[in-house]
């Protein structure tokens, strides 16, 4: 059908664009580059999250259906402002794209990532019908 042909040609065009862009990227041997050290801990917990009791923290995580491993994992955030409060430009971009509150996995992962921790997150996704 005409719709299928249009969709197929659009997909082929996108793949071709991707190939062209990647051909421009040259491989980099990072073993030959000496990188300076840097602080990986960018996270300052929001005051409302700093002194949560163990029970309050577990209640928050249960309410978000989160299971968290590791020692002393930071508290999940409730708003993007709690993680990015000083970055007004980032908050403006999030709002302009209608990201008003973090998803459960974002709520826990953002503080962990900003703290320089390794994160493995698994979340159910919404099913979209096209």
């Amino acid at each position: 059908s005409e719709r299928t042909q249009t969709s197929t040609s659009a997909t082929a065009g996108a793949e071709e664009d991707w190939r062209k862009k990647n051909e421009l990227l040259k491989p980099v041997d990072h073993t030959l580059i000496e990188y300076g050290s840097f602080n990986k801990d960018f996270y300052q917990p929001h005051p409302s999250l700093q002194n949560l009791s163990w029970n309050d923290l577990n209640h928050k995580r249960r309410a978000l259906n989160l299971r968290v491993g590791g020692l002393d994992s930071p508290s999940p955030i409730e708003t993007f402002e709690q993680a990015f409060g000083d970055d007004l430009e980032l908050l403006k971009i999030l709002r302009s794209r209608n990201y008003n509150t973090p998803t459960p996995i974002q709520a826990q992962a953002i503080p962990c990532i900003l703290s320089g921790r390794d994160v493995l997150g698994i979340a159910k996704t919404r099913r979209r019908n096209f």
Side-chain angles (χ1 to χ4, degrees), residues 1-17 19:
S1 78
E2 185 178 317
R3 182 181 172 110
T4 303
Q5 288 174 341
T6 303
S7 176
T8 303
S9 64
T11 302
E15 287 177 17
E16 183 62 28
D17 289 346
R19 272 194 215 101

Side-chain angles (χ1 to χ4, degrees), residues 57-58 61 66-75 108-109 112 117-122:
L57 179 57
N58 280 333
R61 288 183 175 146
L66 295 169
R67 285 184 281 168
V68 179
L71 298 174
D72 298 324
S73 296
S75 302
Q108 185 62 65
C112 291
R117 301 179 81 135
D118 294 329
V119 173
L120 173 63
I122 301 170

Side-chain angles (χ1 to χ4, degrees), residues 26-33 35:
K26 304 289 184 220
V28 176
D29 184 353
H30 293 280
T31 62
L32 301 175
I33 301 170
Y35 294 104

Side-chain angles (χ1 to χ4, degrees), residues 93-114:
I93 291 167
L94 289 169
R95 280 197 246 8
S96 74
R97 297 198 172 31
N98 291 322
Y99 293 116
N100 300 312
T101 57
T103 64
I105 197 165
Q106 290 169 337
Q108 185 62 65
I110 289 170
C112 291
I113 292 167
L114 292 176

